[in-house]
Structure formats: structure tokens, C-alpha cells
């Protein structure tokens, strides 16, 4: 298993270290013979990380000629276009049969190379819209931790790279090997849920809400009240039709979807910062029942309220 990990000037040590650590652990634990991990750069010269450290023991792009796995652990934060030569090298390796992996922002050069085709990809949630604009045929799933199509794998932001690399180990060597690596790294062999539970969702401020501003503020302060369209339109002094149209313009969502998102955001805060029962959290956030709350929470964040609390509670 010959693994080529790309590096560039300004890469973070964490992003670069993840595939080196996970795949290197396979050899250190004696789980497979012949796993060789090499760092390479486009010009074969060393790089300086964003932390100021030099990485000089690198290879040139010729390592792609025999690589089984080509890994882009990150990409430039300005999302600059991939050079034609780099895209050509990746496409040629892919055509030869190499598996191509884009971790976090590393999905950008993978998409630029054209090897994704019609497959759906994932990247850090904050860069999802920029990646979707990259190519007309690109579809981005901003909720998954990673997506594997066999020949191409992409992952969500930062620590999700660990999940994706463990997935590669699992696919190549089986669950027992992946569990062994995860145990030595003291991480979960397989994390529950997706990156949706980490996303911060902005709320329009009063200056953007215009006539709706006071109504939005009232709704946020009274999430346990009746927040149906009729009630909200009446409070805004608008007809239902005009309210729906204006609401969509201001928030980018229908009233029902906006209210549900705000209730779920409030629920996340209560789960993180209080010891209230799940029943009380559901009631305070305006859900008709605990069952409805659990269903909506799991649908939005791919995890249960209880699991979310265990992961994120601050007290």
C-alpha cells in the first residue's frame, strides 16, 4: 500500500499529520506489511507550515506514478484553483487505478482534477457553498463526516480526517485493524452522526429583518409559543401570503423550517448548558412531545439528544 500525502506552503501541521499518523500506525502495530507513506509536493521542494515549521524531507510528484492512495489532507484557505499540471497528475493516477482522497479542504483539488465525476462530495461545512460553485456538476453534502465512492473519498472538516483515514484502514484491513489503530490513537473507531451537529447557523439581525425584525425577535424569545404562520403573520401585521414571501426573502427559509431550526438550536444550547431532562428541553423549545423532539433532532443532527449531551455538555 503506497500512500502519497500532498503538502504545500501554509498547510497546518494537524492536517498533514493525520494521514501520516493513522496510516503509519498500521505499520507500527504490525497490522500489514508494505504500507509506505510518503509526503510529496508539486515541485519536490520542502514547505513551511502555517505554524512556521519546515518540512524538507519530501518527494516530488513522481511518487504518484506508483501510488495506490493519493491523499490531499487540506488545501489553501483562499480556495485557489488547482494548477493544470497538478490536476493532470491526479487524473492520471486515478486513471491508473489509484484511490484519491480529499480530507477537509483537500476536496477542492480533488474536485478540480475532474476525478469526482457525478459523485457527491463533502468538505468542511463552512466551505461547502464555495466547493459547490467550483464545478457545475458538483453536488456537496454538508452533513456527512465522509463519503466514500470506492475510487474517490472526501471528508468533512479537520478532525473528520481521522474518521476518513480509519475508514480506509477498515476498508483495506477490516474492522479489527481499524479498531486497533483507533484504540492506540485513543479515538472512536466509528463516530456517530455527521458534521451537522457542529454547524453554527446564523440568525438574521434586526437590520436584515426590516419589518419582520420585531417578530423574529419575539419568536426567538418565545419558542414554546404557537409559532404557526397565522400567528406570526398576525404579529407582524401582514397577510399570510405577504408574510411568507417576505419571510423567505429575509431568512432564506419558510417560516416552518426557520422555526424548527431555531427550536433545535435552542435545544442544543440547553443540552450543552443545563441538566434539564429531555422532556423539559422538548417542552421549553416548543415541541409537541418528546417523541417529536427526538425524531426531529435525530433527523437534523444524525444523533440523539442524549448522545449529543454526552459529547457537548459544558458543565
Amino acid at each position: 500500500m503506497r500512500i502519497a500525502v500532498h503538502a504545500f506552503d501554509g498547510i497546518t501541521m494537524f492536517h498533514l499529520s493525520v494521514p501520516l499518523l493513522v496510516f503509519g500506525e498500521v505499520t507500527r502495530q504490525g497490522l500489514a506489511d508494505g504500507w509506505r507513506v510518503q509526503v510529496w509536493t508539486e515541485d519536490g521542494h520542502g514547505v513551511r507550515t502555517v505554524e512556521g515549521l519546515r518540512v524538507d524531507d519530501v518527494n516530488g510528484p513522481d511518487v504518484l506514478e506508483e501510488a495506490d492512495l493519493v491523499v490531499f489532507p487540506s488545501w489553501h484557505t483562499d480556495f485557489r484553483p488547482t494548477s493544470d499540471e497538478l490536476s493532470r497528475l491526479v487524473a492520471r493516477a486515478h486513471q491508473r487505478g489509484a484511490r484519491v482522497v480529499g480530507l477537509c479542504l483537500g476536496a477542492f483539488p480533488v474536485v478540480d482534477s475532474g476525478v469526482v465525476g457525478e459523485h457527491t462530495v463533502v468538505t468542511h461545512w463552512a466551505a461547502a457553498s464555495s466547493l459547490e460553485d467550483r464545478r457545475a456538476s458538483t453536488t456537496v453534502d454538508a452533513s456527512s463526516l465522509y463519503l466514500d465512492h470506492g475510487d474517490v473519498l472526501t471528508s468533512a472538516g479537520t478532525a473528520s480526517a481521522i474518521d476518513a483515514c480509519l475508514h480506509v484502514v477498515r476498508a483495506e484491513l477490516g474492522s479489527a485493524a481499524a479498531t486497533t489503530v483507533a484504540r492506540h490513537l485513543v479515538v472512536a473507531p466509528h463516530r456517530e452522526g455527521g458534521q451537522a451537529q457542529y454547524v453554527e447557523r446564523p440568525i438574521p439581525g434586526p437590520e436584515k429583518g426590516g419589518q419582520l425584525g420585531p417578530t423574529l425577535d419575539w419568536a426567538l424569545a418565545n419558542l414554546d409559543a404557537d409559532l404557526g404562520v397565522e400567528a406570526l403573520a398576525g404579529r407582524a401585521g401582514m397577510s399570510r401570503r405577504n408574510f411568507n414571501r417576505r419571510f423567505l426573502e429575509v431568512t432564506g427559509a419558510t417560516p416552518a423550517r426557520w422555526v424548527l431550526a431555531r427550536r433545535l438550536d435552542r435545544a442544543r444550547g440547553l443540552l450543552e448548558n443545563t441538566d434539564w431532562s429531555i422532556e423539559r428541553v422538548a417542552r421549553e423549545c416548543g415541541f409537541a412531545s418528546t417523541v417529536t423532539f427526538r425524531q426531529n433532532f435525530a433527523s437534523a443532527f444524525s444523533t440523539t439528544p442524549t448522545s449529543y449531551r454526552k459529547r457537548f455538555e459544558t458543565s
Side-chain angles (χ1 to χ4, degrees), residues 46-225:
V47 298
R48 186 176 298 279
T49 69
V50 72
E51 296 86 359
L53 300 176
R54 287 287 305 177
V55 179
D56 287 315
D57 188 10
V58 301
N59 298 272
D62 56 296
V63 298
L64 270 65
E65 296 176 4
E66 296 184 345
D68 302 301
L69 190 69
V70 178
V71 182
F72 288 90
S74 186
W75 191 241
H76 304 275
T77 54
D78 60 3
F79 310 144
R80 68 189 61 176
T82 308
S83 70
D84 292 339
E85 176 62 14
L86 181 55
S87 292
R88 185 187 66 80
L89 289 168
V90 175
R92 189 169 68 182
H94 179 259
Q95 290 169 359
R96 184 180 49 75
R99 194 177 188 183
V100 181
V101 175
L103 306 174
C104 193
L105 298 186
F108 280 80
V110 173
V111 167
D112 285 347
S113 71
V115 303
V116 171
E118 300 298 320
H119 292 317
T120 300
V121 296
V122 63
T123 188
H124 191 291
W125 59 267
S129 60
S130 296
L131 182 60
E132 198 154 38
D133 293 338
R134 203 72 162 193
R135 295 171 73 95
S137 61
T138 302
T139 301
V140 179
D141 173 4
S143 63
S144 300
L145 288 179
Y146 57 82
L147 292 173
D148 184 9
H149 299 290
D151 58 332
V152 176
L153 184 152
T154 52
S155 83
T158 318
S160 301
I162 299 176
D163 300 282
C165 290
L166 284 173
H167 169 76
V168 171
V169 175
R170 188 180 303 109
E172 294 292 331
L173 302 176
S175 296
T179 300
T180 297
V181 171
R183 182 178 295 116
H184 281 270
L185 300 182
V186 197
V187 296
H190 182 78
R191 271 202 293 169
E192 177 185 350
Q195 68 169 332
Q197 55 195 291
Y198 303 94
V199 177
E200 294 182 4
R201 293 184 279 199
I203 300 173
E207 69 283 356
K208 295 182 179 181
Q211 183 181 353
L212 291 184
T215 301
L216 296 177
D217 290 341
W218 179 85
L220 289 172
N222 296 274
L223 289 172
D224 58 341

Side-chain angles (χ1 to χ4, degrees), residues 11 30 138 145 194 213 238 270 275 293:
I11 193 171
T138 302
L145 288 179
M238 303 168 67
L270 293 176
D275 59 358
F293 169 53

